[in-house]
Amino acid sequence: MRLKKNVKRLLIVFISLIIVFVSVMVWKSYFGYNRLENTKNKDTDDEPVYVEHNREFDIQKSNYIEANYERYIAYKKLHSDYSDDTIITYVNIGLDRDFYTNMEDTDMSDGYLIICNKFHRLKNNYVPNLVNLGSAYGGGQLEKKAAEYFKKMADAAKKDNISIRNVSGYRSYSTQSYLYNNYVSQDGVKNADRYSARPGTSEHQTGLATDINYVSDSFEYTEAYKWLIKNSYKYGYILRYPKGKEFITGYMYEPWHYRYVGEEVAKFIYENELTYEEYYVTYILKG
Ligand SMILES: [Zn+2]
């Protein structure tokens, strides 16, 4: 009898404890939420916002951009497995948004390091300082310095019995427009976007990009490809759309497409196995 009473009492105490615990948790989360809202809604606040930021996200990273803060937080919620460095890099590239949305004009002051992709476009009247490559190099046109280094690269390859020829260099806005619209009518927008740039976003308009030998996946299995992978960086050229990086570059793997960025940057990108987007937002982008 006595034992039963004790068990009853214990049960009551236990249940009371649970009720108190749950109440405290509910009150805490409600209070915490309100506090955050209040901080955000205040017109003038001294430091609290900074404190809230710091707690959720490491703002001390070198390429952190204050204006992108809300986007970092939203992207981190979707990709909790990414490091803060990766979150910052990817959001700075624009990967939290769909391709071809929030387009910005290419910053032409970047010179040979300009970025032209599905978030940055060239003016439709932009034409680089072009030179003819000459038939020995496959013909077509490239920007002056890109052409000079393309020739150096092709000459070096020739010494190793490898033929390197430009099959597509500079492409004007109107040519790109014509090509893209043709692909769309054949394949639809979604498919065309995976391999053809919308006008103004084609790297070929910069005069710094070259398609080498032949535009085909099988180019990957040629001696010329093997030679380029090992040596192109020495002449300032990078493989622009590497395998497995479509989610960053916006393009399927293109073993034939190379981009001139200068020897120093090309070497760095080659050694660190970066896409140009990652390099650009980490070292060039002014936040
Ligand atoms: Zn190309």
Side-chain angles (χ1 to χ4, degrees), residues 199-228:
T201 69
S202 169
E203 219 174 37
H204 285 280
Q205 198 189 330
T206 66
L208 303 171
T210 167
D211 292 341
I212 294 173
N213 289 8
Y214 52 97
V215 176
S216 157
D217 290 340
S218 58
F219 180 59
E220 184 186 353
Y221 307 107
T222 63
E223 291 303 312
Y225 173 78
K226 285 179 202 155
W227 190 94
L228 283 166

Side-chain angles (χ1 to χ4, degrees), residues 24 72 115 134-135 215 242 277:
V24 166
Y72 297 143
I115 193 155
S135 56
V215 176
E277 274 75 15

